[in-house]
Amino acid sequence: MRGGHVMILAASFLLLLTPAAHGGGGGGGFTQGQDRLSGIIIPGFASTQLRAWSILDCPYSPLDFNPLDLVWLDTTKLLSAVNCWLKCMLLDPYNQTDHPDCKSRPDSGLSAITELDPGYITGPLSSVWKEWVKWCIEFGIEANAIIAVPYDWRLPPSKLEERDLYFHKLKLTFETALKLRGGPSIVFAHSLGNNVFRYFLEWLKLEIAPKLYMKWLDEHIHAYFAVGAPLLGATETVKATLSGFTFGLPVSEGTARLMFNSFGSSVWMMPFSKHCRTDNGYLKHFSVRSKKGHAAQLCDDHEFQANYSGWPTNIVNIEIPSTRGDEAYPSIIGTAQVNMSDMEYGFPTQLSFSAREVSDGTFVRAIADYDPDSQRLLYQLEESYHRDPVLNPLTPWDRPPLKNIFCIYGVDLKTEVGYYFAPSGKPYPDNWIITDVIYELEGSLYSRSGNLVEGNPGATSGDETVPYHSLSWCKNWLGSKVNITRAPQSEHDGSDVQVQLNVEHQPEMDVIPNMTRSPRVKYITYYEDSESLPGKRTAVWELDKVWLVNCGMRMTLQFNSEKLPFPFHCQP
């Protein structure tokens, strides 16, 4: 997790809970009982410490693994005993059980999410929520007001509940916080943590009587802050699946791919189409149909009329080695259009796949004859996602039925939105290489060489990790009329603030402000419902280039006609 997002969350939490935020006029539901609110943190992917729950002797290394030793992340053991370390990280790719020689489990409490690899040198490099917690302490937030709910981010959602009873425990956490503090909680979710929270809300429907569901939500959850949420998935997940993503660790991309692909959660952030949904997961529990039946994917007309499933470009373009004759392509026939003349004469064939074809398994089936991992990937996709009895997470989000929702993300940074792959000639896991990358930046698409690329770019770009198309999906949760405010991120006297009121908002269309922009100024743009539903409030915050190195500033936010200053820092 990057520091910029942590500081956004810190500012948000302090805004709601510190005495400085309690005075003044209307608070949009935040003026009563702030001292009784709790903050519940759901961390993102790879943002929770994992500890060994086994004794593992590591030959040729002075370091062994003993119960409660750090696994994720102990860079010393990773460097000195990488094979042992991998045994403690890997899961069975089909049933998600531990390696026979070593098992790891998530740590608990705030310490599990503050620094992944504590130490004089490694600590600052792996700091996750440490600064956030430090700020809360400095501003007088009570210790029992901040609750972390770590989880094993390697598991798919159904296994989180089956193995660890995670969602039962999360429900108890909310209920305990209410009893302890006397008030509801504010949920702070980052990255994959948003997917976890969405699944929890759906799981909760099956645990609570329908008439009591909304009552439970209103009593236990006051607000939800979705930070850097991959609401329609992230294209980097495809890169990690095919070529590996090292997280900056001293391992090869092949090793990283082997590890990542053993995790059932590797599919959880796959990109998918905003135009395709599945059967109502809640209603099917009350039908005669089997809970494990394959939910049919239903796409509207826009999916087939528009290009790229609504994304800026095709997610994957892959070169398939050709041999003479159709028999060389038993898994491709019928799944993608190919140039038969190229196949007949043995030229490589390029296949392109949209977000829908990635998430529904078309892409995986097309490469089945050329990638030994495709069988595993297809199994996880169908078993843990398409057939999930609670929710198929690879479907677009509707607005959660909560009182207050704040969607916060960075924009205007160079972000990967598509890839070109080709066979490397090497065995798995190094059998694919990236030949080109498509980036979005400042409303245009570029190749890795810097050439302009045709497509459907958005109004701006994403946050370096998640494309703008996915981050900004929460704008669909806004109403038909939206108030927009744009202000500089740096301290200002208010003269540079621009406001547009009652801007028309069409369903599934982006809201683009008609405002001036100085190229040297970094802005924060707020979108809020002009006409909110009774008791509901939705806001979206877009921050320009939040990943600034070594920046420190004081910001003043215009929050419901009340200026609220708070310190704001950016970290790489």
Side-chain angles (χ1 to χ4, degrees):
M1 180 181 181
R2 307 200 181 195
H5 278 164
V6 176
M7 293 309 150
I8 297 169
L9 286 181
S12 306
F13 194 57
L14 298 174
L15 186 68
L16 298 179
L17 297 190
T18 57
H22 296 175
F30 290 99
T31 57
Q32 295 181 352
Q34 287 94 337
D35 57 336
R36 297 186 291 114
L37 297 175
S38 301
I40 293 183
I41 306 169
I42 307 179
F45 184 79
S47 296
T48 294
Q49 288 182 351
L50 301 178
R51 293 189 176 272
W53 201 247
S54 301
I55 299 174
L56 178 62
D57 294 328
C58 301
Y60 314 113
S61 172
L63 302 176
D64 298 324
F65 281 95
N66 294 294
L68 301 183
D69 282 356
L70 262 183
V71 178
W72 185 268
L73 185 61
D74 188 331
T75 52
T76 301
K77 289 183 178 178
L78 168 60
L79 290 169
S80 64
V82 64
N83 290 331
C84 271
W85 181 82
L86 279 173
K87 288 181 179 180
C88 295
M89 285 297 301
L90 292 172
L91 297 175
D92 184 280
Y94 290 94
N95 58 27
Q96 295 295 281
T97 55
D98 301 286
H99 191 280
D101 296 334
C102 186
K103 69 170 62 174
S104 298
R105 291 294 181 267
D107 203 352
S108 59
L110 284 171
S111 61
I113 65 170
T114 50
E115 287 181 340
L116 296 180
D117 189 8
Y120 181 74
I121 296 176
T122 56
L125 297 177
S126 65
S127 180
V128 185
W129 293 85
K130 184 177 181 179
E131 292 300 315
W132 193 90
V133 174
K134 181 180 177 182
W135 271 38
C136 290
I137 293 172
E138 290 178 354
F139 277 78
I141 305 300
E142 293 294 331
N144 61 8
I146 310 170
I147 305 168
V149 282
Y151 58 96
D152 193 334
W153 41 268
R154 302 173 298 171
L155 295 175
S158 59
K159 292 295 183 180
L160 279 175
E161 177 63 18
E162 179 182 319
R163 195 195 74 180
D164 296 343
L165 291 178
Y166 178 79
F167 298 109
H168 271 94
K169 294 176 183 177
L170 183 54
K171 178 175 178 285
L172 288 174
T173 299
F174 281 106
E175 293 170 347
T176 302
L178 175 62
K179 189 170 185 179
L180 181 65
R181 301 273 299 169
S185 296
I186 304 166
V187 176
F188 297 96
H190 175 257
S191 180
L192 182 64
N194 291 281
N195 301 43
V196 172
F197 182 60
R198 178 197 184 189
Y199 192 91
F200 168 73
L201 294 177
E202 294 297 320
W203 171 87
L204 196 64
K205 291 179 180 178
L206 306 177
E207 293 296 313
I208 297 177
K211 292 182 179 180
L212 300 178
Y213 178 70
M214 287 306 304
K215 182 176 183 291
W216 191 97
L217 293 181
D218 290 343
E219 289 179 350
H220 293 86
I221 302 176
H222 184 65
Y224 164 42
F225 283 80
V227 179
L231 299 173
L232 296 177
T235 48
E236 280 197 352
T237 309
V238 176
K239 180 175 72 172
T241 300
L242 287 187
S243 63
F245 187 76
T246 65
F247 302 96
L249 299 177
V251 296
S252 69
E253 288 186 345
T255 300
R257 182 191 182 195
L258 192 68
M259 180 177 70
F260 181 78
N261 287 354
S262 77
F263 304 157
S265 63
S266 64
V267 181
W268 208 343
M269 291 191 288
M270 282 286 188
F272 53 88
S273 173
K274 67 180 181 180
H275 301 303
C276 300
R277 298 177 179 269
T278 53
D279 296 341
N280 188 300
Y282 178 68
L283 294 178
K284 74 181 182 180
H285 285 271
F286 303 96
S287 69
V288 296
R289 176 180 167 184
S290 169
K291 294 182 182 181
K292 277 290 183 180
H294 195 290
Q297 191 174 60
L298 307 174
C299 301
D300 61 32
D301 293 339
H302 295 290
E303 173 64 27
F304 306 102
Q305 294 172 355
N307 295 328
Y308 317 126
S309 296
W311 282 71
T313 184
N314 283 317
I315 304 298
V316 186
N317 305 274
I318 196 159
E319 188 178 283
I320 298 295
S322 298
T323 58
R324 191 183 305 273
D326 294 354
E327 65 276 8
Y329 295 87
S331 62
I332 295 179
I333 303 303
T335 64
Q337 293 183 351
V338 297
N339 187 326
M340 295 305 296
S341 61
D342 285 351
M343 291 174 58
E344 290 168 1
Y345 290 100
F347 294 110
T349 302
Q350 181 174 289
L351 305 178
S352 298
F353 299 91
S354 66
R356 173 181 59 84
E357 292 167 322
V358 169
S359 63
D360 70 7
T362 300
F363 163 64
V364 182
R365 294 183 186 95
I367 65 170
D369 291 339
Y370 308 99
D371 194 300
D373 187 55
S374 58
Q375 183 180 359
R376 185 280 315 173
L377 181 57
L378 188 60
Y379 177 86
Q380 281 293 349
L381 184 63
E382 294 182 344
E383 186 68 19
S384 297
Y385 295 88
H386 293 171
R387 297 173 183 165
D388 188 287
V390 174
L391 167 74
N392 177 2
L394 305 180
T395 52
W397 292 45
D398 293 323
R399 184 194 185 280
L402 304 172
K403 293 178 181 177
N404 303 287
I405 296 179
F406 299 85
C407 186
I408 308 172
Y409 52 87
V411 295
D412 205 25
L413 290 173
K414 188 177 180 180
T415 306
E416 297 174 3
V417 294
Y419 303 98
Y420 285 80
F421 290 92
S424 67
K426 299 179 181 178
Y428 178 84
D430 300 303
N431 52 316
W432 299 107
I433 58 172
I434 297 177
T435 58
D436 205 354
V437 180
I438 307 301
Y439 299 94
E440 62 177 3
L441 180 64
E442 298 178 349
S444 298
L445 300 179
Y446 298 89
S447 67
R448 189 158 55 182
S449 59
N451 296 322
L452 279 172
V453 176
E454 292 185 0
N456 299 324
T460 184
S461 53
D463 66 356
E464 283 190 345
T465 302
V466 182
Y468 174 76
H469 174 72
S470 181
L471 292 166
S472 63
W473 176 250
C474 55
K475 285 185 178 179
N476 288 279
W477 302 347
L478 296 165
S480 59
K481 292 184 183 294
V482 179
N483 293 336
I484 306 175
T485 304
R486 175 173 286 171
Q489 291 182 16
S490 58
E491 186 174 2
H492 58 88
D493 59 7
S495 61
D496 295 333
V497 175
Q498 304 172 68
V499 179
Q500 284 184 278
L501 301 178
N502 297 318
V503 176
E504 295 288 339
H505 175 219
Q506 300 298 323
E508 295 195 13
M509 297 294 290
D510 197 0
V511 185
I512 303 175
N514 182 20
M515 296 176 173
T516 60
R517 175 186 290 274
S518 171
R520 296 186 178 183
V521 178
K522 298 174 180 65
Y523 296 94
I524 178 169
T525 307
Y526 309 91
Y527 305 80
E528 290 189 286
D529 281 332
S530 174
E531 299 175 357
S532 299
L533 296 173
K536 306 291 184 183
R537 179 185 178 193
T538 307
V540 177
W541 301 356
E542 290 182 346
L543 289 96
D544 294 349
K545 303 183 186 296
V546 294
W547 311 130
L548 302 177
V549 180
N550 297 324
C551 69
M553 62 191 78
R554 286 195 59 89
M555 292 180 61
T556 301
L557 292 186
Q558 191 77 20
F559 190 79
N560 285 328
S561 303
E562 180 183 359
K563 286 189 176 181
L564 299 170
F566 59 85
F568 180 93
H569 292 273
C570 305
Q571 296 180 349

